[in-house]
Each structure stands twice: as structure tokens, then as C-alpha cells.
Amino acid sequence: MKHPRGELAAHGLAASKSRGQNFLADPAVAREIVRRAELEPGAPVFEIGPGLGALTRVLLEAGHAVTAVEIDRGLVRYLQDQVQPAFPGRLNLIQGDVLKTDLAALAQDQGRPLDVIGNLPYQISTPLLFRFLETREAVAGAVLTFQKELAERLAAGPGSKAYGRLSVMFGYYARIERLLDLGPEAFHPRPKVGSTVLRVRFVADPRPPLRSAAMFSTVVAAGFSRRRKTLKNALRSSFPESQIDAALAAAGLDPGRRAETLAVEEFVLLTESWPAAIST
Ligand code: SAM
């Protein structure tokens, strides 16, 4: 792997800030990410944003078949010219927006849920995580590089500043494992902040069980809609007061608490205590 600075210049490309293009600059880091991903040998891998192919090359060299979605046409051309020929039939490049990619269809084509890997562009990390949640049956696991602050939000527990909607949703549906911290020097151009590589695995049978996943999602989103307010006031953004009072009382939760103090199980309890939950 050549350094991205020279590689971009040699191919008439430039790093786009708006597309979150901070390329891995150190092949040892790319190898370490793939090693820590502990992928099943030879299994197909779905890569998000291959860029100049830092991770892609390591995956292909290790014998994986890679399907990769890259939004930047210049980078897709680069990968077609510089990477694809060395691995005939094993790199499937899709030019497009991963947020619009049908993950369920890809998993179906593959005949198994996706093993995802990606050094994610900062701009799409949160919407992508919510898409993963919606299509979690299509995702076996994901090893993703996030800005440190987002990684902290994902893995945060109640009472901490970073704890929010993402933490509760992923706390319920997934297990998060921190694999690696990377400093800005691991990338070109250097981002302002550090990054963290996380493994996200969806739980087959989340506990405690929910009658309505949609209701859970609405309650959590409403709870955090006004962070500085009490839970009761925040819930008013989405529900009538009579329902809120009844649900909080049935769940035995103090209406004066703030959403950020509620454990994941308490959000489940609140959802299950909702009078209209059955009909939602
Ligand atoms: N994987 C490469 C690496 O580690 O060096 C590049 C990582 S760079 C942080 C993010 C990559 O995602 C860029 O190549 C960028 O063009 C691509 N990208 C940005 N937005 C995207 C989107 N919505 N869909 C697919 N790819 C996207």
C-alpha cells in the first residue's frame, strides 16, 4: 500500500472533506483492523467506503471476496484500475451511497447475513447505524471505525454525558466491543480528533422482550428529545399527558428523572407499561 498523499496526486484525485475522506495511511493499521475483526476465513465481506483500498487489499489478500460500496466515482475508477485486476472475480464494486443500498437484498444475494467492515465517513455514521438497526437481520456483525466521540456515545452507560438515544438502542439490540483506538496520525489527511474501531454484533433475542419495537424506538427518541428536561416533559413531545402519567406510574418510574438516568431495561419497562403499546 502506497501512502495516500502520493497515490491521490498520482491519480489526479483529491481528498474530499464533505465525503469524510480520511484515508488510512499506515498499512500496519489496516492489517491490525482486519486481524482484530476475526472474520471467518474466506467468508464474503461487505465494505463501506473502500476509498483507496487500504482495508480492501488486506481483505482480498487474506482470501475474502469483497463487495464494496463507494460513493466517489473517481475512487471507484481507481479501485477498478489499481485493485480489481489483481483479484479476478473477487472484488465487486458498487458505485453509490451506502445509505441507499439495500442491505437485505445484498445479504439475500450472498445467502448469509453481512459481515461488514468500514472506516466510516464521519457524516454518515449515525444515519448508517440507524439503518443497520432497521435491517439488523441482514447484518451478522460490523467492525467499524468511528470518530472517538461517536464511539463513546454508542458504548455509553446511564448517567454519563455521552449516554443518549444511540446508547439505549444499541444497548438493547447489540453488543459493542472496543477493538482499537487510532490517533489522527493514522490517517491522511489527519482528522482533528481520534478514532475508535468497534465491533457491533446484533443480539438474536434481545432481553427483556418487547411487544413493539416501534414503540420502544418512539419512547427512547421522545425521552431524549429534550435532554435538559425531565422525562415527563420530554415525553410530552410525542405523547398525551394522561398516557405518560399512566405509563410512568405503571413502570414505577419517578416522572422527575431525566432520560439520561434511565437504564436500557427501564426504557423497556416504560415501553411495556404504555397503555397504547399493544395497539401500536
Ligand atoms: N476505507 C478507506 C480507508 O480506510 O482508507 C477510506 C475511508 S474514508 C474515512 C471514507 C470513505 O467512504 C471515502 O472513500 C468516501 O468517499 C466514502 N463515502 C463517503 N460517503 C459515502 C456514502 N454515503 N456511501 C458510500 N461511501 C461513502
Side-chain angles (χ1 to χ4, degrees):
M1 172 188 151
K2 296 171 191 151
H3 193 280
R5 185 188 297 111
E7 207 55 358
L8 290 168
H11 294 274
L13 299 163
S16 153
K17 212 174 176 177
S18 66
R19 290 190 166 150
Q21 291 175 356
N22 300 96
F23 301 100
L24 276 172
D26 182 349
V29 173
R31 283 195 298 272
E32 183 62 7
I33 293 173
V34 173
R35 192 181 74 76
R36 300 293 293 271
E38 293 176 4
L39 296 158
E40 188 187 317
V45 178
F46 176 63
E47 187 184 359
I48 298 167
L52 293 165
L55 295 168
T56 327
R57 287 174 219 257
V58 179
L59 291 165
L60 290 164
E61 278 159 10
H64 296 280
V66 180
T67 295
V69 180
E70 171 57 63
I71 202 165
D72 187 313
R73 285 175 199 279
L75 290 173
V76 171
R77 268 195 302 275
Y78 170 89
L79 292 164
Q80 283 167 341
D81 295 346
Q82 303 297 316
V83 182
Q84 219 167 26
F87 303 94
R90 282 207 284 129
L91 175 58
N92 173 26
L93 287 167
I94 303 170
Q95 189 278 316
D97 182 347
V98 68
L99 296 175
K100 296 184 184 144
T101 304
D102 187 341
L103 302 178
L106 277 179
Q108 203 165 12
D109 286 353
Q110 214 180 251
R112 52 185 277 162
L114 306 172
D115 275 314
V116 185
I117 199 162
N119 170 14
L120 291 190
Y122 156 72
Q123 293 85 341
I124 66 160
S125 298
T126 304
L128 185 71
L129 283 167
F130 280 109
R131 282 219 66 203
F132 277 173
L133 267 185
E134 287 162 19
T135 51
R136 56 188 173 276
E137 291 80 18
V139 179
V143 171
L144 302 168
T145 307
F146 295 99
Q147 282 208 345
K148 210 168 177 174
E149 175 264 336
L150 183 60
E152 278 163 7
R153 275 168 48 204
L154 258 178
S160 72
K161 237 182 166 179
Y163 187 65
R165 188 175 160 210
L166 260 187
S167 334
V168 175
M169 297 305 287
F170 277 80
Y172 182 67
Y173 288 110
R175 295 289 165 269
I176 310 284
E177 191 187 339
R178 190 186 193 121
L179 299 184
L180 213 58
D181 284 329
L182 301 175
E185 68 288 350
F187 303 93
H188 171 82
R190 289 185 181 195
K192 289 203 176 70
V193 295
S195 303
T196 300
V197 186
L198 295 182
R199 185 199 314 283
V200 180
R201 270 214 183 100
F202 291 106
V203 181
D205 189 16
R207 301 257 134 208
L210 277 168
R211 280 173 297 175
S212 168
M215 185 66 183
F216 178 62
S217 171
T218 309
V219 168
V220 175
F224 285 105
S225 62
R226 300 194 176 118
R227 271 192 89 95
R228 297 223 175 80
K229 299 212 170 180
T230 62
L231 187 56
K232 178 172 170 172
N233 275 333
L235 291 168
R236 275 196 187 128
S237 63
S238 302
F239 300 103
E241 192 154 346
S242 58
Q243 280 188 19
I244 301 170
D245 288 340
L248 287 168
L253 292 170
D254 176 353
R257 283 176 68 181
R258 290 186 187 177
E260 67 210 45
T261 69
L262 262 69
V264 173
E265 298 73 29
E266 289 180 302
F267 272 108
V268 175
L269 178 65
L270 179 59
T271 307
E272 291 301 291
S273 307
W274 216 272
I278 302 160
S279 57
T280 309

